[in-house]
Amino acid sequence: MPSRLHVDTPLQTGVTLLLPPSAARHAQVLRLQPGAELTLFNGLGGEWAATVTRMGRSEVEVMIGAHDNVERELPQAITLALAMPANDRMDFLVEKATELGVAAIQPLMSERSVLRLAAERAEKKINHWQGVAIAACEQSGRTRVPRIAPVRTLAQWLAGLEMPAGDQRRWLLSPTAARPLPELFQQAGTGTIVLSGPEGGLSPAEEDVARARGFEAATLGPRILRADTAPLAALAWLGLQTS
């Protein structure tokens, strides 16, 4: 199977293209040679066959071939809004959520969050996580790259949300006063936002504010799942129901 590379540039059949630096480095690491076949995608849908025509010290030239308008996305857009877990667990979460088909990820800081980011450090993390998502798309065959939104506090994010339209589900993962996912899924909807808390969970006051913004409490069962497990479990379940 040809290697898949993401290129953040317009693509057109029959055009010769110098790969952007990140994609060129990837091609060189793979030790590709002229004549090697590639699959390129730019995150806007579909993918292109391509052939390496020249390998330089720092440049890789390719000829873009036929476009395949393939779609491997979930039938409905799912956004994960989550209080960022500590250490490197956010990298793992972004990678696996991308593989499972998430459309967007909103990193949040809540009252009980351990990881707190601001200013330049937050921007660097967002860029890093966007790169993790791109790499996961290259591996998993996705042709659309999920957006990693800027870091916000939960209070700021909830205050900026409009009240949901009739076709949007909003679920709050909570172990208390919650309904099972299969029961909530019976409600009609073409898109879903899943809100998940940090290691210590959301505070009662935060849950109340979320409910006021249209979120319904959802349970994943009798066990307490980790902050980096619960949103992935919900996403996997949703993906199986909608595929």
Side-chain angles (χ1 to χ4, degrees), residues 172 174-179 207 211 216-219:
L172 161 66
S174 173
T176 59
R179 298 162 62 191
E207 290 203 5
R211 287 188 176 93
E216 294 188 76
T219 178

Side-chain angles (χ1 to χ4, degrees), residues 148-160:
I148 314 298
V151 176
R152 305 189 68 185
T153 67
L154 175 60
Q156 290 172 334
W157 179 70
L158 286 173

Side-chain angles (χ1 to χ4, degrees), residues 93-143:
L93 202 155
V94 169
E95 178 184 75
K96 299 311 173 188
T98 300
E99 290 177 20
L100 291 168
V102 74
I105 297 176
Q106 172 62 65
L108 298 170
M109 295 180 292
S110 65
E111 291 180 18
R112 297 171 180 168
S113 290
V114 175
L115 180 60
R116 295 188 175 275
L117 301 172
E120 184 179 352
R121 186 172 175 229
E123 185 176 352
K124 286 183 177 179
K125 280 292 188 182
I126 292 301
N127 291 335
H128 170 72
W129 291 329
Q130 193 67 67
V132 171
I134 288 171
C137 286
E138 290 177 337
Q139 179 275 322
S140 64
R142 289 190 63 178
T143 60

Side-chain angles (χ1 to χ4, degrees), residues 221-236:
R223 294 172 299 281
I224 303 299
L225 303 182
R226 297 180 68 114
D228 53 332
T229 304
L232 294 179
L235 178 57

Side-chain angles (χ1 to χ4, degrees), residues 20-205:
S22 61
R25 285 194 297 272
H26 194 167
Q28 289 167 335
V29 168
L30 293 171
R31 298 183 181 277
L32 299 179
Q33 298 299 319
E37 295 182 349
L38 287 170
T39 299
L40 303 180
F41 69 102
N42 58 10
L44 301 179
E47 58 191 20
W48 284 257
T51 304
V52 175
T53 55
R54 180 170 62 86
M55 293 289 294
R57 286 184 175 272
S58 60
E59 293 182 342
V60 179
E61 182 183 79
V62 300
M63 172 65 75
I64 303 175
H67 177 251
D68 182 359
N69 195 31
V70 62
E71 279 287 357
R72 302 187 181 100
E73 302 303 301
L74 297 179
Q76 64 169 251
I78 301 173
T79 296
L80 287 185
L82 50 100
M84 300 172 291
N87 302 320
D88 294 329
R89 292 176 183 165
M90 188 66 177
D91 285 21
F92 176 85
L93 202 155
V94 169
E95 178 184 75
K96 299 311 173 188
T98 300
E99 290 177 20
L100 291 168
V102 74
I105 297 176
Q106 172 62 65
L108 298 170
M109 295 180 292
S110 65
E111 291 180 18
R112 297 171 180 168
S113 290
V114 175
L115 180 60
R116 295 188 175 275
L117 301 172
E120 184 179 352
R121 186 172 175 229
E123 185 176 352
K124 286 183 177 179
K125 280 292 188 182
I126 292 301
N127 291 335
H128 170 72
W129 291 329
Q130 193 67 67
V132 171
I134 288 171
C137 286
E138 290 177 337
Q139 179 275 322
S140 64
R142 289 190 63 178
T143 60
R144 297 184 184 273
V145 179
R147 176 176 179 263
I148 314 298
V151 176
R152 305 189 68 185
T153 67
L154 175 60
Q156 290 172 334
W157 179 70
L158 286 173
L161 279 181
E162 298 180 357
M163 291 304 293
D167 61 349
Q168 184 188 68
R169 304 183 187 94
R170 292 184 179 181
W171 295 346
L172 161 66
L173 301 184
S174 173
T176 59
R179 298 162 62 191
L181 283 188
E183 182 178 325
L184 290 173
F185 188 73
Q186 298 306 313
Q187 301 170 2
T190 58
T192 305
I193 301 177
V194 178
L195 172 59
S196 186
E199 285 82 347
L202 298 179
S203 70

